[in-house]
Amino acid sequence: MKTDGTAGRPAPFDELDRRLIHALQTDGRAPFSRIAAVLGVSDQTVARRYTRHRGSGAFRVLGLAEPRALGEVEWLVRVQCAPDAALPVAEALARRPDTSWVSLMSGGTEIAAVCRSASSEHSDALLLQKLPRTPSVVGVAAHCLLHEFYGGPQSMISKSGALTAEEAARLSPPPPLRPSPKLSTPPPLSTSFERGDPHEQGAPPLPVVLSDADRRLFEALGRDGRAPLDELAAVTGWSPTTVRRRLAALRAEGVLYYDVDYDLRLFGYGVMVALWLSVEPAELAATGEALATHPEVAFAGATTGPNNLFASVLCRDTSALYTYLTTRVAALPGVRTMESSPRIRHLKGPGPYLAFSPAAPRSRR
């Protein structure tokens, strides 16, 4: 990795790096030749940039499952610990396969994490049994994520303008089809889709049921969203052709999406804050939608609890954070109270826990 000459720190992403990341966020498995054509550079340049940055840990492409498509429920969890126990508890949480976005927050005694459960009735194993009984855990608060205003396949880089709208459109895949009951059980060779009876379009789609091979596929994509087809075939037991069809089917169903996990420092972000807002119910939808448009917001969602609107906010420094809180946030309608909590250490992002990787601040939540 390049360095900027200051204590050996990695050099910030340049314009081409940002355009490449935006392209990968738009389509994480797009061929380098297609990306190169949009960026106006050679295939070799794109391949070199990608290989260098992925090898250094500056960014990586992940293939992730959309929890709502699987009928899963997400919980934003805040765990209060004794000071000397917070890091071990956070590491234990990060190692769990049903968690993501695990961080130590201000003061070093609070852990923030996202936990997933098969349904709201199956959340007790971690939230009601294990965490409260963990030594040195003095409090647990869990807020069910009701609605996502910004997040998932959308990222901070999507708001950056690194690619023009026309360039992003050239790379964008077709929008997901409405999942149909026929595809809830996934025969890997099936690539046909049904949009359902027009009279039933308002009904919630049935959750998609993943096979064991699908789950192995997602485990591999969580480590490397651009893993070669031969490698994915080896872990699933399918042929490369079947893998290609299944990837297309899962993406068309809205189950699979691609995300770029990158080092925030290389984008110039020095401060990440968890923002909890209490909003008048009549203003919640409008306020959440307005919040989602802010360039500082990496994630925004409506939750249960007295603080019913959550956002992950990224700023260059504390001065920029103060300006943001006293201008854009202050202008939001219906906000009654605000709580902000800076992140001091990042342990896990959207993908699997990499205990050997440096604890660099990562993108988004």
Side-chain angles (χ1 to χ4, degrees):
M1 179 187 289
K2 297 180 294 183
T3 61
D4 62 7
T6 307
R9 290 184 315 201
F13 291 131
D14 62 22
E15 181 182 359
L16 180 56
D17 294 331
R18 292 168 183 255
R19 286 169 56 77
L20 172 58
I21 294 172
H22 195 169
L24 292 169
Q25 184 70 47
T26 305
D27 187 352
R29 287 187 72 89
F32 286 151
S33 58
R34 188 159 153 244
I35 294 175
V38 171
L39 301 187
V41 297
S42 69
D43 301 11
Q44 293 81 6
T45 296
V46 171
R48 282 196 302 268
R49 290 283 180 127
Y50 173 81
T51 302
R52 170 157 56 89
H53 286 312
R54 186 180 185 279
S56 68
F59 69 72
R60 56 189 179 127
V61 177
L62 308 175
L64 304 172
E66 170 54 60
R68 283 166 293 280
L70 302 178
E72 295 181 341
V73 176
E74 289 185 288
W75 297 83
L76 278 60
V77 180
R78 305 175 74 179
V79 182
Q80 299 292 334
C81 296
D84 59 347
L87 182 56
V89 172
E91 290 173 338
L93 274 174
R95 284 190 289 269
R96 292 181 60 94
D98 56 352
T99 64
S100 57
W101 301 108
V102 180
S103 300
L104 285 176
M105 308 306 287
S106 57
T109 59
E110 179 180 324
I111 303 164
V114 176
C115 302
R116 300 179 306 279
S117 60
S119 71
S120 58
E121 289 135 11
H122 292 84
S123 59
D124 60 330
L126 177 63
L127 303 181
L128 301 181
Q129 296 178 20
K130 294 187 178 180
L131 275 176
R133 297 176 184 175
T134 302
S136 302
V137 170
V138 298
V140 179
H143 307 267
C144 183
L145 181 62
L146 302 176
H147 179 78
E148 190 174 279
F149 294 106
Y150 194 82
Q154 300 169 310
S155 170
M156 289 285 284
I157 189 65
S158 306
K159 300 178 179 180
S160 69
L163 295 182
T164 66
E166 188 273 334
E167 288 171 332
R170 289 169 61 188
L171 287 166
S172 296
L177 298 170
R178 171 187 165 89
S180 68
K182 180 177 179 180
L183 285 176
S184 294
T185 301
L189 292 176
S190 174
T191 56
S192 61
F193 297 92
E194 296 179 357
R195 292 183 180 272
D197 189 320
H199 300 291
E200 297 178 357
Q201 290 297 314
L206 294 177
V208 173
V209 179
L210 298 180
S211 67
D212 290 341
D214 282 329
R215 296 188 184 280
R216 293 194 298 273
L217 177 65
F218 273 106
E219 288 175 5
L221 292 172
R223 294 188 295 270
D224 180 6
R226 293 184 65 89
L229 291 176
D230 288 346
E231 182 179 322
L232 299 176
V235 300
T236 58
W238 298 334
S239 69
T241 300
T242 299
V243 171
R244 182 185 294 106
R245 291 158 123 186
R246 191 60 188 147
L247 290 174
L250 289 167
R251 194 167 193 189
E253 291 180 77
V255 180
L256 168 65
Y257 70 93
Y258 295 99
D259 193 10
V260 182
D261 189 30
Y262 52 83
D263 188 337
L264 294 173
R265 298 170 300 182
L266 304 187
F267 263 93
Y269 297 116
V271 177
M272 195 294 287
V273 169
L275 198 62
W276 295 89
L277 303 177
S278 176
V279 180
E280 296 285 350
E283 300 285 356
L284 181 57
T287 302
E289 290 167 1
L291 188 67
T293 66
H294 294 180
E296 296 86 354
V297 171
F299 176 86
T303 70
T304 57
N307 294 321
N308 54 359
L309 183 58
F310 171 81
S312 287
V313 172
L314 303 176
C315 293
R316 299 198 176 276
D317 51 34
T318 54
S319 177
L321 174 62
Y322 174 78
T323 299
Y324 172 64
L325 295 179
T326 55
T327 54
R328 287 194 179 94
V329 175
L332 291 171
V335 176
R336 296 176 296 200
T337 62
M338 178 186 73
E339 178 187 354
S340 57
S341 179
R343 183 173 72 184
I344 61 173
R345 182 167 179 177
H346 170 84
L347 284 89
K348 184 182 184 181
Y353 179 47
L354 303 178
F356 56 85
S357 65
R362 311 302 293 185
S363 57
R364 314 234 281 184
R365 295 186 202 177

